[in-house]
């Protein structure tokens, strides 16, 4: 049966929505990166002034050390952003998760420090997964931002990678010990435009309800599964399960790049989304 004009209009509206979300994602990434670079520049400027004011060798050595450390951090941030920019392919490829987690965390490191969130990494050896790298990073940044927002008074963020060899998957878990999600909200958090927030927080993130729905769409496109477990007052864990890369049976069929949405807030229940 041929498509009706209504179907065409609906498809066009969906594409326009995806483009709008993509621009919002780009704007948020630029904002985060700019903030990080501003922190680095302020460090360089302040210690350069300190070195100029103090003529003794010890003070100048201290200033040079801090300036060097800031420059090294700037280099890492640049490499992380360039890595995301280079990895804009829409084709699936063998993808190591650990470097993606490290790069994504680098862009949020100062934000985690500002809100007194301690990060603990529990990485087990795992083979490459079948993924589009920049899309997985979008999911990671979204889930880590959600976790940070669920711990306004500080807490612990656990990032875990485990390999389920028997099932042929790698699991990536983002766990916080924050406020948790009430049972009545848990079944709705993946609905597009559903949000528990009144608006963006002080960092400009959150409140539009497109973040977790986009994460689900990305994971679905990867033939994976997105699962959430949460208990009010104890915290929330999101687990992204991705299939292993299979060299002989891979198809180069492209999946649409879903943009990074604005995160939702993070009760006692478990919800699983995906195939």
């Amino acid at each position: 049966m041929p498509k009706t004009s209504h179907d065409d209009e609906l498809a066009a509206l969906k594409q326009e929505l995806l483009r709008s979300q993509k621009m919002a994602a780009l704007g948020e990434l630029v904002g985060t990166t700019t903030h990080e670079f501003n922190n680095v520049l302020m460090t360089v400027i302040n210690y350069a002034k300190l070195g100029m004011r103090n003529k003794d060798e010890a003070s100048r050595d201290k200033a040079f050390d801090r300036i060097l450390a800031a420059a090294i951090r700037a280099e890492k941030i640049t490499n992380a952003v360039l890595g995301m920019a280079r990895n804009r392919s829409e084709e699936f490829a063998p993808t190591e998760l650990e470097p993606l987690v490290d790069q994504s965390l680098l862009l949020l490191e100062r934000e985690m420090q500002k809100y007194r969130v301690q990060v603990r990494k529990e990485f087990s050896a795992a083979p490459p997964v079948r993924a589009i790298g920049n899309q997985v990073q979008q999911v990671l940044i979204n889930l880590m931002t959600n976790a940070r927002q669920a711990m306004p008074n500080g807490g612990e963020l656990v990032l875990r990678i485990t390999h389920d060899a028997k099932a042929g998957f790698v699991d990536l878990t983002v766990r916080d010990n924050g406020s948790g999600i009430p049972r009545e909200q848990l079944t709705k958090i993946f609905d597009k435009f559903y949000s528990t927030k009144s608006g963006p927080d002080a960092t400009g993130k959150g409140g539009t309800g497109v973040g977790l729905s986009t994460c689900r769409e990305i994971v679905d496109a990867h033939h994976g599964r997105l699962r959430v477990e949460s208990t009010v007052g104890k915290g929330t864990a999101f687990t992204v399960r991705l299939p292993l890369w299979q060299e002989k049976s891979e198809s180069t069929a492209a999946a649409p790049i879903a943009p990074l949405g604005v995160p939702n807030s993070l009760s006692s229940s478990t919800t699983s989304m995906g195939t």
Side-chain angles (χ1 to χ4, degrees), residues 184-209:
E184 63 273 15
Q185 296 178 1
L186 199 62
T187 59
K188 303 176 183 178
I189 60 173
F190 293 104
D191 294 346
K192 194 174 290 292
F193 304 121
Y194 177 81
S195 178
T196 60
K197 302 176 184 176
S198 58
D201 65 8
T203 67
K205 300 174 183 177
T208 65

Side-chain angles (χ1 to χ4, degrees), residues 152-163:
N153 298 316
E156 183 180 58
L157 171 66
V158 178
L159 303 173
R160 182 179 298 120
I161 295 175
T162 56
H163 175 210

Side-chain angles (χ1 to χ4, degrees), residues 9-241:
E9 290 177 3
L10 182 59
L13 286 172
K14 286 183 178 179
Q15 288 300 316
E16 184 62 31
L17 177 60
L18 287 175
R19 282 192 291 270
S20 298
Q21 291 177 339
K22 185 175 181 179
M23 292 304 297
L26 179 60
E28 186 169 303
L29 177 59
V30 169
T32 298
T33 306
T34 301
H35 181 72
E36 289 298 310
F37 267 107
N38 184 63
N39 288 333
V40 171
L41 287 174
M42 290 304 298
T43 299
V44 171
I45 291 171
N46 289 336
Y47 277 98
K49 290 179 178 179
L50 178 66
M52 293 174 66
R53 285 197 307 266
N54 294 276
K55 306 302 182 182
D56 61 286
E57 186 174 343
S59 295
R60 290 196 168 189
D61 285 347
K62 178 182 178 181
F64 282 134
D65 287 343
R66 294 299 178 89
I67 290 172
L68 178 60
I72 291 173
R73 175 169 174 76
E75 181 185 31
K76 290 180 180 179
I77 294 171
T78 300
N79 288 336
V81 174
L82 288 177
M84 293 182 71
R86 283 193 298 265
N87 192 17
R88 297 303 298 176
S89 171
E90 295 185 28
E91 294 185 358
F92 290 100
T95 304
E96 299 279 355
L97 288 183
E98 186 171 338
L100 289 186
V101 175
D102 287 336
Q103 290 177 7
S104 303
L105 184 60
L106 178 65
L107 297 176
L108 297 175
E109 185 177 20
R110 291 295 175 88
E111 188 172 318
M112 296 296 178
Q113 292 174 357
K114 177 181 178 180
Y115 289 93
R116 303 181 302 283
V117 174
Q118 300 295 318
V119 179
R120 178 158 53 94
K121 295 188 288 187
E122 300 178 352
F123 295 163
S124 300
V129 297
R130 178 182 182 272
I132 300 173
N134 74 84
Q135 292 191 8
V136 175
Q137 283 187 297
Q138 291 173 16
V139 173
L140 279 170
I141 291 174
N142 202 304
L143 294 180
M144 287 192 290
T145 302
N146 280 358
R148 191 274 297 166
Q149 291 175 326
M151 299 180 286
N153 298 316
E156 183 180 58
L157 171 66
V158 178
L159 303 173
R160 182 179 298 120
I161 295 175
T162 56
H163 175 210
D164 187 341
K166 184 176 181 180
F169 286 88
V170 174
D171 290 342
L172 171 59
T173 300
V174 179
R175 178 185 296 275
D176 66 71
N177 61 352
S179 55
I181 307 170
R183 179 189 295 271
E184 63 273 15
Q185 296 178 1
L186 199 62
T187 59
K188 303 176 183 178
I189 60 173
F190 293 104
D191 294 346
K192 194 174 290 292
F193 304 121
Y194 177 81
S195 178
T196 60
K197 302 176 184 176
S198 58
D201 65 8
T203 67
K205 300 174 183 177
T208 65
V210 299
L212 288 176
S213 65
T214 299
C215 289
R216 182 191 63 184
E217 291 169 3
I218 290 174
V219 176
D220 284 350
H222 281 68
H223 297 164
R225 184 173 65 177
L226 178 58
R227 185 176 69 250
V228 56
E229 301 174 70
S230 191
T231 301
V232 172
K234 294 186 177 181
T236 300
F238 284 92
T239 298
V240 179
R241 168 162 277 212

